[in-house]
Amino acid sequence: MPMTPEELTDLFDQQAANYDAQWAKTEAIRNCLFLLLDSHFAELPENSRVLCVGAGTGAEMEHFAKAQPDWSFTVVEPSGEMLELCRERAEAGGFADRCVFHHGYLETLEMAEQHDAATSFLVSQFFLDRDDRRAFFAEIASRLKPNGLLASSDLSCDQAAADYDVLLESWMRMLAMSTNDEAVVARIRKAYVNDVAVRPIDEVTSIIKSAGFENATPFFQAGLIHAWISTR
């Protein structure tokens, strides 16, 4: 049986304290994503407000805050432990006064103001039902200004393709080398079957576009992770 949203949140609460250290060896993937994303976000207004959905410990928020001193952020995270680490990161970096922290799911965020851009990294994959996934992206779209940008990433692959097993095993070996924890890798492998919707690129693209975005363009791939830039 798939995990319930509450069980998934509890899992991230349990992982929060060691999360960044556990995945430190995969930072190269994240940094490459950010490098390419900077070019897409380059023309955003100097005083942009960015919505960070499922922000975790706040890596993307910190990246943008350091590069853009006039940007502000709305941070949404259902894991209280993760959100606390995110808040601590912002305080240590000296940009907490530019952040609004919301503990909960996106649909519980009041529509105070719309945003110039949004990020959602490795979040929508946890919606197993296509309609629920579309509704999630629609929630983001409703909080963006016209022509606002969404940068999103998820695990994506055609599991029916002949080469999927090759890609999956390579990805699993990379995770094993990164974590040095066989139990973690075993749990991830199980999650890919029960708790994560690993869908083909074209299907994810279609879901995003159907949720109120004019386009959804894949711009990054590292192993099973793909990223899209989409325009409201």
Side-chain angles (χ1 to χ4, degrees), residues 26-102:
T26 65
E27 285 184 3
I29 295 175
R30 186 181 69 198
N31 291 340
C32 185
L33 170 60
F34 289 171
L35 176 65
L36 293 173
L37 179 55
D38 284 342
S39 65
H40 289 288
F41 277 9
E43 296 185 359
L44 288 174
E46 291 184 0
N47 63 342
S48 288
R49 174 167 285 278
V50 179
L51 173 65
C52 298
V53 184
T57 63
E60 69 264 31
M61 175 195 63
E62 181 180 44
H63 172 80
F64 294 128
K66 287 181 176 179
Q68 303 290 344
D70 294 320
W71 285 13
S72 56
F73 305 90
T74 302
V75 182
V76 179
E77 173 55 54
S79 165
E81 297 296 327
M82 287 284 195
L83 187 65
E84 185 56 32
L85 291 174
C86 185
R87 191 192 308 272
E88 291 175 5
R89 187 192 290 259
E91 291 172 349
F95 55 88
D97 60 333
R98 291 191 272 148
C99 302
V100 173
F101 298 95
H102 178 74

